[in-house]
């Protein structure tokens, strides 16, 4: 039969919040409770009789609680098939009573790792009995309902109320699927912990929280975000974030964090920076960033690494933009920015913590370390006769940070604290430079005394030749071409400074 009434329930959970109304609901229909330890005490304090698991098994909890439920009297009651005559006969022979409902959660393994627990503490939080009960009950979904997480309590309570503590096959099958989602995520987390040392070449990544997006990159594509976005941001205003919004927010947050200790502002369009600047205030940094491309900033994603005040908000409010991200907002600034109901305002609460990135391709997945290297003064090796001035060094490092977050091939032209223009995603480095020069000029910038940054080496001296013609006086690049000396010689002949970093920053 599809519909089955619950008569006996095994309940053993680590987290008891939200459990009480479920117990009351089951008790209304005379369900017998089987339990252990703290959960047994919890149910008894609610006024209900509980059969301890050890009365079923004939064994106490042993080995410091490592073995409590691993016994045929428990697993037989879960796994025996009620429609199978042989199973029913064996259950009667060994006096195994059926269990129709199992409510079990898992020890907090991920939480213990996140809190920096010792290896001993972490290993003890690897659940054995709980995960076995969940898998067993989920496997026998034809006869048993499994509730495997406190996140399912509200749903199961509604189900039990609506169906008088009975369940249909479709209910049990859904909760079985939820259970295998819980167990697979749990095992992935455990593997990830051990694989930090072992480096077994196996790709496993699990995100339990999935949120359907309006669509993917384009309206005909489906899109889902997996992760805890609410843990990273408070959304203070605006419509729901789209797939493309999320991609741009990620680009903005990653770029602006490069300028720790400074007041920085970035404007992103299609994952690339169309404006980046630092300043003495958020207002100044914003205005300098906006100057670099007053056209592309329209509909862009804005990010500040400092609290946004009213003076800055008044300037930003003149622009139509999709999203603003900042660590905080003055109340008056927030009220002004919220005047546009669809404008998305995000307050960033946490730093990004990922160290790996991956994507699907060729029927598989590639994974790599994130490019977390930021070029510093210690990386710079002067290759030319002329050493760059202190101001040029600051400008070069500033430009290099932007290069790292811009689609290859890329060239960034800048002065200290302000990006002037960029050449983005070109198939040739010369084309990227020409694009950057044309763009800088179109917005009224003089390139005399500016610096140039490249994400990769120059295979020929043509880029430094063109840069010199425009008045650019200092260059930063990783180096590594067999023809590096040609570019160095040109710089020396024209009193230009060039530094190598030794770090390439391709971005595809």
């Amino acid at each position: 039969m599809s519909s089955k009434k619950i008569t006996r329930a095994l309940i053993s959970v680590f987290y008891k919040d939200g459990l009480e109304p479920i117990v009351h609901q089951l008790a209304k229909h005379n369900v017998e409770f089987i339990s252990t330890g703290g959960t047994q005490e919890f149910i008894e304090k609610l006024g209900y009789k509980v059969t301890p698991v050890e009365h079923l098994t004939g064994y106490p909890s042993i080995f410091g609680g490592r073995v409590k439920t691993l016994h045929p009297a428990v697993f037989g009651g879960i796994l025996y098939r009620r429609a199978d005559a042989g199973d029913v006969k064996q259950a009667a022979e060994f006096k195994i009573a059926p269990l129709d409902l199992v409510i079990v959660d898992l020890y907090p393994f991920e939480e213990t790792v996140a809190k920096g627990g010792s290896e001993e503490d972490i290993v003890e939080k690897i659940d054995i009995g709980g995960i076995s009960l969940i898998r067993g009950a989920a496997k026998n979904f034809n006869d048993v309902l499994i509730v495997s997480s406190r996140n399912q309590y509200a749903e199961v309570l509604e189900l039990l109320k609506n169906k008088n503590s009975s369940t249909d096959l479709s209910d049990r099958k859904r909760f079985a699927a939820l259970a295998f989602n819980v167990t697979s995520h749990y095992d992935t987390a455990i593997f990830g912990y051990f694989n930090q040392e072992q480096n077994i070449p196996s790709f496993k990544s699990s995100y339990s929280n999935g949120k359907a997006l309006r669509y993917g990159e384009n309206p005909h594509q489906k899109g889902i975000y997996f992760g805890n976005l609410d843990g990273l941001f408070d959304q203070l205003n605006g419509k729901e974030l789209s797939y493309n919004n999320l991609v741009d927010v990620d680009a903005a947050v990653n770029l602006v964090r490069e300028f720790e200790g400074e007041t920085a502002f970035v404007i992103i369009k299609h994952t690339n920076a169309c404006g980046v600047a630092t300043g003495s205030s958020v207002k100044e940094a914003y205005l300098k960033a906006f100057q670099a491309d007053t056209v592309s900033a329209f509909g862009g994603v804005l990010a500040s690494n400092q609290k946004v005040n009213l003076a800055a908000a008044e300037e930003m409010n003149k622009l139509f933009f999709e999203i603003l991200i900042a660590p905080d907002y003055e109340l008056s600034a927030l009220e002004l920015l919220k005047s546009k109901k669809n404008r998305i305002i995000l307050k960033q609460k946490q730093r990004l913590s990922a160290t790996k990135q991956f994507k699907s391709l060729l029927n598989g997945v590639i994974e790599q370390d994130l490019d977390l290297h930021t070029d510093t003064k210690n990386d710079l090796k002067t290759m030319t006769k002329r050493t760059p001035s202190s101001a040029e060094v600051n400008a070069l490092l500033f430009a290099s940070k932007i290069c790292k977050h811009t689609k290859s091939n890329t060239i960034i032209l800048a002065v200290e604290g302000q990006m002037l223009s960029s050449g983005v995603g070109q198939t040739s480095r010369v084309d990227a430079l020409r694009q950057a020069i044309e763009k800088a000029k179109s917005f009224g910038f003089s390139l005399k005394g500016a610096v140039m940054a490249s994400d990769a080496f120059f295979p020929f001296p043509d880029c430094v030749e063109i840069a010199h013609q425009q008045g650019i006086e200092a260059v930063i690049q990783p180096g590594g071409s067999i023809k590096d000396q040609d570019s160095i010689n040109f710089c020396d002949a024209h009193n230009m400074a060039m530094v190598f970093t030794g770090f390439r920053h391709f971005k595809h």
Side-chain angles (χ1 to χ4, degrees):
M1 292 176 60
S2 174
S3 180
K4 290 184 179 291
K5 186 168 182 61
I6 297 170
T7 59
R8 296 177 83 230
L10 171 62
I11 307 177
S12 180
V13 295
F14 189 89
Y15 297 105
K16 297 167 185 66
D17 45 310
L19 181 64
E20 181 176 342
I22 296 174
V23 173
H24 288 315
Q25 172 63 26
L26 293 169
K28 279 172 57 178
H29 294 89
N30 301 313
V31 173
E32 179 186 349
F33 296 115
I34 317 296
S35 192
T36 63
T39 309
Q40 177 184 337
E41 293 176 14
F42 177 84
I43 298 172
E44 287 173 339
K45 284 180 180 178
L46 294 177
Y48 304 117
K49 181 181 177 182
V50 179
T51 301
V53 164
E54 49 264 37
H55 286 193
L56 267 67
T57 65
Y59 281 89
S61 174
I62 57 177
F63 308 129
R66 284 187 166 198
V67 179
K68 288 183 285 191
T69 57
L70 296 169
H71 191 279
V74 176
F75 280 87
I78 294 169
L79 282 164
Y80 93 79
R81 294 159 289 190
R82 279 57 156 177
D84 185 288
D87 283 9
V88 173
K89 181 180 178 182
Q90 281 192 315
E93 179 184 354
F94 294 104
K95 298 180 180 179
I96 295 173
L99 287 164
D100 314 301
L101 169 65
V102 175
I103 303 178
V104 176
D105 60 11
L106 299 171
Y107 290 157
F109 177 84
E110 287 180 282
E111 292 89 336
T112 306
V113 173
K115 290 177 181 177
S118 67
E119 183 171 284
E120 182 180 0
D121 289 339
I122 290 168
V123 169
E124 284 307 309
K125 291 299 186 292
I126 298 175
D127 208 309
I128 303 300
I131 205 164
S132 301
L133 289 167
I134 291 171
R135 290 177 64 85
K139 177 176 180 176
N140 198 21
F141 64 84
N142 278 312
D143 300 304
V144 182
L145 176 68
I146 174 63
V147 180
S148 53
S149 167
R150 57 180 168 171
N151 296 330
Q152 301 162 17
Y153 286 177
E155 183 178 350
V156 78
L157 178 61
E158 189 68 18
L159 169 66
L160 295 174
K161 284 180 176 179
N162 290 340
K163 297 187 177 179
N164 296 316
S165 298
S166 294
T167 64
D168 294 330
L169 179 61
S170 60
D171 303 322
R172 298 190 295 273
K173 199 166 187 178
R174 168 171 168 74
F175 277 87
L178 291 172
F180 286 120
N181 182 41
V182 168
T183 60
S184 63
H185 177 82
Y186 195 76
D187 283 337
T188 297
I190 295 169
F191 171 76
Y193 171 76
F194 281 96
N195 206 39
Q196 291 177 104
E197 291 183 6
Q198 305 304 321
N199 292 315
I200 298 167
S202 177
F203 178 79
K204 289 181 173 63
S205 188
S206 177
Y207 296 86
S208 291
N209 301 321
K211 180 181 180 181
L213 304 172
R214 295 196 302 273
Y215 49 79
E217 199 163 8
N218 298 292
H220 63 279
Q221 296 170 267
K222 290 183 179 179
I224 304 175
Y225 170 78
F226 295 97
N228 183 14
L229 201 62
D230 292 337
L232 188 59
F233 299 109
D234 283 334
Q235 183 167 345
L236 307 178
N237 191 64
K239 59 188 178 182
E240 283 194 11
L241 288 155
S242 69
Y243 180 100
N244 292 329
N245 288 157
L246 291 170
V247 173
D248 282 340
V249 166
D250 180 70
V253 170
N254 274 292
L255 176 53
V256 82
R257 75 170 175 172
E258 294 281 357
F259 301 96
E260 192 169 337
E262 302 177 87
T263 297
F265 205 96
V266 307
I267 304 173
I268 296 291
K269 198 69 172 288
H270 295 294
T271 74
N272 292 304
C274 57
V276 184
T278 58
S280 60
S281 66
V282 176
K283 175 182 175 179
E284 181 189 357
Y286 164 72
L287 288 173
K288 288 168 65 179
F290 179 61
Q291 277 183 317
D293 189 339
T294 58
V295 175
S296 296
F298 183 87
V301 173
L302 283 54
S304 170
N305 64 354
Q306 302 294 332
K307 185 177 184 177
V308 173
N309 59 18
L310 181 60
E314 286 173 338
E315 293 297 334
M316 293 178 219
N317 199 49
K318 299 173 185 177
L319 173 71
F320 169 75
F321 61 87
E322 288 272 346
I323 303 169
L324 174 61
I325 309 150
D328 206 355
Y329 301 86
E330 285 186 359
L331 184 59
S332 56
L334 185 59
E335 289 305 310
L336 176 62
L337 292 165
K338 289 170 68 175
S339 62
K340 303 288 196 302
K341 68 176 184 178
N342 286 331
R343 179 184 282 164
I344 298 169
I345 308 294
L346 300 177
K347 178 180 176 180
Q348 187 173 351
K349 300 184 290 186
Q350 297 178 10
R351 293 171 62 89
L352 299 179
S353 58
T355 58
K356 301 278 187 180
Q357 64 181 169
F358 54 88
K359 62 181 177 181
S360 60
L361 53 75
L362 299 174
N363 295 334
V365 174
I366 53 173
E367 179 187 70
Q368 67 170 353
D369 298 333
L370 278 170
D371 183 359
L372 297 176
H373 178 81
T374 299
D375 296 331
T376 67
K377 289 181 181 179
N378 292 333
D379 297 316
L380 304 185
K381 183 178 180 181
T382 301
M383 305 302 295
T384 50
K385 293 175 182 176
R386 184 170 83 78
T387 300
S389 67
S390 176
E392 286 175 330
V393 167
N394 291 338
L396 290 166
L397 292 174
F398 173 86
S400 177
K401 290 175 182 178
I402 304 168
C403 243
K404 171 183 163 183
H405 294 273
T406 307
K407 189 171 178 63
S408 300
N409 288 307
T410 186
I411 293 288
I412 301 295
L413 304 180
V415 292
E416 186 174 4
Q418 185 180 29
M419 184 180 90
L420 304 181
S421 64
S422 61
V424 176
Q426 298 301 301
T427 52
S428 125
R429 200 157 300 281
V430 170
D431 285 346
L433 174 56
R434 286 177 174 150
Q435 182 190 58
I437 291 168
E438 181 181 347
K439 195 168 188 180
K441 288 182 175 181
S442 71
F443 289 102
F445 289 110
S446 168
L447 295 176
K448 185 169 177 57
V451 304
M452 174 173 70
S454 175
D455 59 333
F457 63 65
F458 298 120
F460 305 102
D462 46 8
C463 282
V464 291
E465 291 169 2
I466 296 169
H468 170 68
Q469 292 168 10
Q470 301 300 321
I472 292 165
E473 297 180 352
V475 180
I476 186 170
Q477 59 140 316
S481 168
I482 59 173
K483 293 187 177 182
D484 276 343
Q485 195 60 47
D486 291 348
S487 294
I488 295 168
N489 290 344
F490 182 89
C491 288
D492 282 340
H494 297 84
N495 199 35
M496 295 174 69
M498 179 184 285
V499 296
F500 285 5
T501 65
F503 289 90
R504 190 181 73 184
H505 293 292
F506 270 164
K507 188 171 187 288
H508 295 108

